[in-house]
Amino acid sequence: AASCGFLALLFCVGGCSTFLRKLKGRCVRLHTQGDSLMTKVGFIGLGNVGGKLAGSLIRNGIDVVVRDLDRAVAQPFLDDGAAFAESPAEMARACDIIITCLPSPAASAAVMEADDGILAGLSKGKIWAEMSTTDEAEVTRLAALVTAKGADAVDCPVSGGCHRAATGNIAIFAGCERDVFERMLPVLTVLGRRVLHTGPLGTASKLKVMTNYLATANLVTLSEALVTCKASGLDLGTTYEAIRISSGNSFVHETESQVILNGSRDINFTMDLVIKDISLFQELADRAGVPLEISPKLIEIFKDGAERFGPREWSPNIIKRLEDATGLDIQAPGFPAEMVDDEPEEPGYEIIPKHA
């Protein structure tokens, strides 16, 4: 294995090179683009996250073909230079990499397995990249169908919020064979900043639902903390800062607590999606024989929230359960209505686990 103490120059498709170096004390593999990235990328699913990821590809000059069930949703991407595929099969025939970023495992299966689906257009040498948050068992099933066509598969969900997806600064997990990862890396380092090869296909999806479970637990406990502090007579602006500079701080606090206190509660993520994700984590634990205690309660809380406020309500409005119970309004001046990534877009790099 290459040491982190010197540059190990590698070459990959499209005039792309990578090298190892130390970054803030951590070994990372940086990715640079030599000539242009001569890869045509198809992107299906232009929703809250998918649209921002596709936008990063287009903004960075990659040849992109897009598709959404609603062509009007795709129009801004076409205006920016993308082409439109009339079917997933047409896209798969035309593109080297086909990315799906869809709201559920069922949606991905439909796009893959329909008569004019992705599988109908796949052939040897192509890559299907599943960026949806999905069930590892389902992505493994679909990947077997992809492999039977002579193509390769990778599950590569993202983490870090829509505001980071918009700037190309989001984190990406990638589960696949190492050679497939190396072929995907030039595209992944455009889509995101920190890219982690998690191991074989399916490992990324397992880790993704785990991180969403942790974020959900944090959101619920932050809601309890903010309401309790307000009820105890504490200033909410001061409370926010106390959490931020303490051992209680977290990414969720620095993002979702702000839109809670603003009152917009707009984090571009809805209660039905939370229920899907934490239920997938519960299923993962059930298959592994782990008797979770907090997870079932979180599912119960969010199902109650979706029943009260609607499944498409913003997920931070789970705090309304406690606002309604106490009669308190958890808002404070000076907080933004939505999160904007204030970090400049930078070239992505691979995170190397410590054991490597």
Side-chain angles (χ1 to χ4, degrees):
S3 164
C4 296
F6 65 95
L7 302 183
L9 197 60
L10 305 168
F11 295 94
C12 32
V13 175
C16 174
S17 64
T18 65
F19 59 89
L20 292 173
R21 83 169 209 197
K22 288 281 189 177
L23 182 67
K24 293 183 179 179
R26 178 179 293 276
C27 184
V28 301
R29 183 175 283 110
L30 295 180
H31 216 75
T32 63
Q33 307 233 345
D35 301 320
S36 60
L37 181 59
M38 303 299 292
T39 299
K40 181 174 285 189
V41 179
F43 206 107
I44 298 180
L46 303 174
N48 286 338
V49 175
K52 294 174 177 62
L53 294 171
S56 287
L57 294 174
I58 298 167
R59 184 173 63 254
N60 284 280
I62 292 178
D63 190 1
V64 178
V65 180
V66 298
R67 177 167 175 78
D68 195 276
L69 287 175
D70 184 353
R71 185 171 179 135
V73 171
Q75 191 58 50
F77 302 91
L78 307 184
D79 294 342
D80 286 340
F84 187 79
E86 295 297 336
S87 72
E90 178 186 295
M91 177 183 287
R93 284 189 286 268
C95 296
D96 304 296
I97 296 171
I98 303 91
I99 297 172
T100 48
C101 190
L102 297 161
S104 69
S108 290
V111 166
M112 293 293 290
E113 297 180 282
D115 291 342
D116 62 349
I118 290 172
L119 287 168
L122 283 181
S123 57
K124 186 176 181 180
K126 296 179 183 288
I127 297 175
W128 168 55
E130 174 62 290
M131 300 196 80
S132 317
T133 300
T134 190
D135 175 34
E136 58 89 15
E138 177 65 2
V139 76
T140 301
R141 181 186 74 81
L142 291 173
L145 302 177
V146 169
T147 302
K149 293 284 186 175
D152 293 297
V154 51
D155 60 323
C156 46
V158 299
S159 183
C162 286
H163 62 299
R164 285 185 174 271
T167 57
N169 287 329
I170 203 160
I172 302 177
F173 302 153
C176 56
E177 296 303 313
R178 183 69 203 186
D179 65 314
V180 178
F181 178 78
E182 294 286 356
R183 289 162 57 203
M184 275 295 298
L185 193 56
V187 171
L188 295 178
T189 52
V190 171
L191 289 165
R193 183 184 296 187
R194 300 169 184 86
V195 182
L196 177 66
H197 182 215
T198 58
L201 186 130
T203 54
S205 293
K206 290 179 180 180
L207 289 168
K208 167 60 175 175
V209 297
M210 176 273 293
T211 63
N212 280 18
Y213 166 72
L214 292 175
T216 302
N218 201 185
L219 174 59
V220 170
T221 55
L222 281 165
S223 297
E224 293 182 344
L226 292 172
V227 174
T228 300
C229 287
K230 174 74 171 183
S232 300
L234 295 171
D235 175 76
L236 288 174
T238 302
T239 297
Y240 174 85
E241 293 299 335
I243 298 170
R244 188 184 66 82
I245 66 172
S246 73
S247 60
N249 193 33
S250 66
F251 177 83
V252 174
H253 176 60
E254 292 190 358
T255 54
E256 300 196 39
S257 288
Q258 294 206 62
V259 296
I260 286 174
L261 292 170
N262 170 272
S264 76
R265 315 288 163 87
D266 182 359
I267 204 69
N268 270 305
F269 205 71
T270 52
M271 291 193 182
D272 58 338
L273 295 178
V274 172
I275 293 168
K276 180 206 72 170
D277 291 353
I278 60 178
S279 296
L280 287 172
F281 179 73
Q282 181 64 54
E283 292 167 11
L284 181 67
D286 289 343
R287 287 196 294 269
V290 181
L292 301 181
E293 297 176 309
I294 295 173
S295 173
K297 188 63 178 178
L298 290 177
I299 294 171
E300 176 188 327
I301 288 170
F302 264 90
K303 284 184 174 179
D304 179 65
E307 184 176 340
R308 293 191 196 194
F309 314 123
R312 301 301 293 169
E313 180 60 81
W314 296 129
S315 57
N317 254 334
I318 199 67
I319 198 172
K320 286 179 66 176
R321 295 172 71 253
L322 291 175
E323 287 180 313
D324 290 350
T326 61
L328 296 173
D329 180 24
I330 307 303
Q331 295 188 48
F335 291 92
E338 61 181 8
M339 296 311 303
V340 177
D341 188 10
D342 58 3
E343 295 185 22
E345 186 170 8
E346 295 182 0
Y349 53 85
E350 181 187 358
I351 295 293
I352 309 298
K354 290 182 178 180
H355 64 76

